[in-house]
Amino acid sequence: MRMTSLGSGSQGNCTLIEDSHTCILVDLGFTLKETEKRLQRVGRGAADISAILVTHEHSDHIHGVAAFARKHKTPVFLTPGTYDEKRMGVVPNLNLINCHRAFDVGSLAIEPVAVPHDAREPCQYVITSGGVSIGVLTDLGHITPHVERHYEQCDALLLECNHDVQMLADGPYPYNLKQRVGGLHGHLNNEQAAGLLRKINLPRLQQLVISHISGKNNAPHLALDAVNSVLHAGETGWRGQLLVAQQATGFDWLEVSPS
Ligand SMILES: [Zn+2]
Ligand SMILES: [Zn+2]
């Protein structure tokens, strides 16, 4: 399997995940024009996309979904709570999912995972093909046992490291927004994200991508320090590659092979 990102952060998110038969998008937070430009950059076009999986209705995840789906007749999968007809308009190939029930898109097996976030019915996704599992995990306020269980056996993981607790406290956000971002239904801070790594099968993890990093309340070196402190705490078995997804450029294609 392979994955790449068109961009990651509060200004827009979009991840491409594919095997040799099926290519999907997880979220689409960019305008139609911007999406087509960014897709070209990773060597794909709208015709290559078999479906869009949506995690929740915040605009950095959903902004471009309906326009892209209308223009290209792309199937869209999302929870009933995430779909808002008044806001999105008609989506020609709409698939309402149960966030506790797995489904397939082409050759990819999709496992939705409910997460605590301040949206109507948010879920994240673990996508599997040929024994390889890729987990996308952003936009959650804390790690639940349910999340731990679903993400413990990933070969690749896109993991939110949204903010540094101190930078958020000292930063420019108004008080109520600080409470929201740092709250139980907000976003993962660096320490919470690192904490998940203590619970999962690290020897299996080939690719770890720090994602959805805040431009105002975090710095890549702080997220890397937090994550590295777990990856290199004794004999963890970690032998993978660690990188940071960028808002402007995402990250290049990464190969993930069966372990
Ligand atoms: Zn977001
Ligand atoms: Zn969100």
Side-chain angles (χ1 to χ4, degrees), residues 1 19 107-111 126-134 204:
M1 287 179 86
D19 65 7
S107 51
L108 304 177
I110 316 292
E111 184 89 56
V126 177
I127 294 143
T128 302
S129 169
V132 176
S133 286
I134 297 179
R204 179 168 174 170

Side-chain angles (χ1 to χ4, degrees), residues 4-251:
T4 185
S5 163
L6 303 187
S8 172
S10 59
Q11 303 304 308
N13 294 275
C14 182
T15 307
L16 280 84
I17 295 176
E18 67 177 27
D19 65 7
S20 45
H21 306 285
T22 306
C23 178
I24 58 165
L25 306 182
V26 178
D27 290 327
L28 183 42
F30 303 105
T31 63
L32 191 56
K33 203 170 146 200
E34 187 66 25
T35 302
E36 287 171 351
K37 197 171 89 190
R38 291 184 185 220
L39 274 176
Q40 210 171 27
R41 200 172 66 203
V42 300
R44 295 294 177 275
D48 299 316
I49 309 303
S50 297
I52 308 172
L53 313 184
V54 182
T55 61
H56 64 297
E57 72 276 16
H58 291 160
S59 75
D60 54 321
H61 299 264
I62 210 166
H63 184 73
V65 170
F68 189 95
R70 275 195 290 273
K71 181 171 176 192
H72 301 293
K73 308 285 180 284
T74 317
V76 174
F77 293 79
L78 74 188
T79 61
T82 302
Y83 180 59
D84 179 351
E85 190 172 358
K86 281 204 238 30
R87 201 170 143 206
M88 291 181 78
V90 174
V91 174
N93 190 339
L94 181 71
N95 301 269
L96 297 180
I97 62 167
N98 176 335
C99 68
H100 296 286
R101 192 169 297 155
F103 60 96
D104 291 340
V105 173
S107 51
L108 304 177
I110 316 292
E111 184 89 56
V113 184
V115 292
H117 188 54
D118 54 359
R120 285 189 300 266
E121 197 182 0
C123 67
Q124 296 290 318
Y125 295 99
V126 177
I127 294 143
T128 302
S129 169
V132 176
S133 286
I134 297 179
V136 176
L137 185 61
T138 69
D139 297 75
L140 68 168
H142 62 285
I143 302 285
T144 62
H146 182 69
V147 167
E148 277 177 23
R149 202 160 53 243
H150 279 84
Y151 287 84
E152 67 188 0
Q153 300 295 341
C154 287
D155 299 282
L157 176 60
L158 274 80
L159 176 62
E160 170 168 64
C161 287
N162 176 261
H163 58 279
D164 171 75
V165 171
Q166 200 57 49
M167 280 185 76
L168 178 66
D170 298 342
Y173 280 12
Y175 177 76
N176 62 341
L177 190 52
K178 287 181 183 181
Q179 293 293 105
R180 205 219 108 202
V181 169
L184 283 173
H185 292 78
H187 291 273
L188 289 185
N189 64 49
N190 295 338
E191 299 306 323
Q192 289 172 302
L196 175 67
L197 301 174
R198 291 195 189 92
K199 304 292 178 71
I200 68 173
N201 184 357
L202 283 180
R204 179 168 174 170
L205 193 61
Q206 295 166 40
Q207 303 285 357
L208 175 58
V209 184
I210 291 174
S211 304
H212 213 301
I213 203 163
S214 168
K216 292 198 170 73
N217 305 308
N218 208 354
H221 75 275
L222 294 174
L224 285 165
D225 284 353
V227 164
N228 273 318
S229 75
V230 174
L231 296 178
H232 301 289
E235 284 306 310
T236 60
W238 161 255
R239 295 181 302 275
Q241 175 175 230
L242 173 64
L243 64 150
V244 179
Q246 308 293 323
Q247 179 66 81
T249 53
F251 55 87

